[in-house]
């Protein structure tokens, strides 16, 4: 049982470290062309623009998009809840965008 907990904690630490690394360094050198921007064709040995990075020499690392979207989503949610809490402390209450007290059929009967 203790070994399973140790493995779980070690795996969690590795995943957290990977996520922090991706958050700090989302872009890396293209592996297909080794950051040169050109790659050799297989049979003709001719140099062409790399098909993966399209000559830019850099690509996003695997998982970087997911990590950044998750980070910014959580950050925006936290900022939004802080903003709403500050508004409520000042006496303002957010109003709903639409009337949720009546159903569609009830609104049609009222008109």
């Amino acid at each position: 049982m203790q070994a399973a907990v140790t493995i779980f904690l070690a795996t969690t630490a590795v995943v957290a470290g990977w996520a922090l690394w991706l958050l700090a360094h989302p872009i890396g050198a293209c592996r297909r062309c080794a950051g040169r921007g050109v790659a050799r064709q297989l049979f003709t040995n001719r140099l062409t623009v790399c098909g993966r990075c399209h000559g830019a020499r850099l690509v996003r690392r695997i998982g970087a998009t997911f990590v950044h979207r998750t980070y910014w989503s959580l950050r925006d949610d936290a900022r939004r809840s802080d903003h709403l809490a500050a508004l409520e402390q000042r006496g303002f209450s957010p109003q709903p965008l639409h009337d949720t007290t009546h159903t569609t059929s009830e609104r049609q009967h009222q008109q």
Side-chain angles (χ1 to χ4, degrees), residues 63-100:
T65 302
F66 174 76
V67 168
H68 275 257
R69 283 183 184 167
T70 303
Y71 170 76
W72 287 108
S73 176
L74 293 174
R75 185 172 180 248
D76 287 345
D77 289 345
R79 291 182 72 196
R80 188 175 298 116
S81 65
D82 291 345
H83 180 69
L84 289 176
L87 285 177
E88 288 176 357
Q89 284 180 347
R90 293 183 195 146
F92 296 108
S93 62
Q95 299 295 323
L97 295 177
H98 53 81
D99 186 15
T100 58

Side-chain angles (χ1 to χ4, degrees), residues 26-65:
I27 297 175
C30 178
R31 295 172 120 193
R32 184 175 295 169
C33 66
R36 290 188 307 263
V38 293
R40 293 200 180 270
Q41 286 187 346
L42 184 60
F43 296 112
T44 62
N45 211 18
R46 189 177 77 187
L47 287 177
T48 59
V49 175
C50 178
R52 182 161 190 237
C53 67
H54 303 286
R57 300 177 180 180
L58 300 173
V59 292
R60 291 186 67 82
R61 291 192 166 108
I62 295 174
T65 302

